[in-house]
Amino acid sequence: MVEEQDYEQVLMEYSQNVLEHFLNPRNVGRIEAPDAAAKVGDPGCGDYIELFLRMEGNKIAEIKYLVFGCAGAISTSSALTELAKGKSVAEALEITDDDVIDYLGGIPERKKHCSLLGVKALHSAIKAYQQKMKFVQKTS
């Protein structure tokens, strides 16, 4: 059991922006009939994200996710969706884990791997969308 003093020390490791995204995560949920989706997990720590995209033309009109993980995984997933929403495919593919960390004002070094989950899922979903669009264009 975590003692109150230990809990407070853990919270002090995180910036106010990280805590805000952890306590009030944005864009949580599923998109029914998404244009693309991806699932990414980190077997080392057990964190897992499922990410959904709805596209309008070449832009991300809606992005949602479900995540199982720690404060770092939740806050970085939330931040990623804020960074990606409204971006073109090309712009979204340029988003890196460092962008997510910078957006949040930093995260503890031992939690930096958490920012990779959402970025990997975003890039994977976009690539799936691009493949889908190539197939549609070929069959049209």
Side-chain angles (χ1 to χ4, degrees), residues 18 21-22 24-28 40 47-51 63-85 100-101 103-104 107 111 113-122:
V18 171
H21 276 271
F22 170 62
N24 301 294
R26 282 75 158 169
N27 307 304
V28 175
V40 174
D47 293 347
Y48 173 89
I49 185 173
E50 192 170 354
L51 187 127
I63 180 170
K64 291 194 176 221
Y65 68 96
L66 298 172
V67 66
F68 177 80
C70 64
I74 294 167
S75 61
T76 57
S77 297
S78 174
L80 171 75
T81 63
E82 291 293 292
L83 286 169
K85 194 185 321 178
V100 175
I101 292 167
Y103 178 85
L104 288 171
I107 59 176
K111 294 295 183 177
H113 69 278
C114 296
S115 62
L116 288 171
L117 279 178
V119 172
K120 284 182 182 178
L122 174 64

Side-chain angles (χ1 to χ4, degrees), residues 5-58:
Q5 184 178 20
D6 294 335
Y7 179 72
E8 288 176 9
Q9 189 164 359
V10 167
L11 288 180
M12 288 175 42
E13 288 183 88
Y14 293 103
S15 72
Q16 198 59 38
N17 203 14
V18 171
L19 292 174
E20 171 59 27
H21 276 271
F22 170 62
L23 296 171
N24 301 294
R26 282 75 158 169
N27 307 304
V28 175
R30 292 184 186 277
I31 295 174
E32 293 302 318
D35 293 310
K39 298 176 188 178
V40 174
D42 183 345
C45 69
D47 293 347
Y48 173 89
I49 185 173
E50 192 170 354
L51 187 127
F52 310 91
L53 299 176
R54 184 176 61 77
M55 306 297 290
E56 285 181 3
N58 193 38

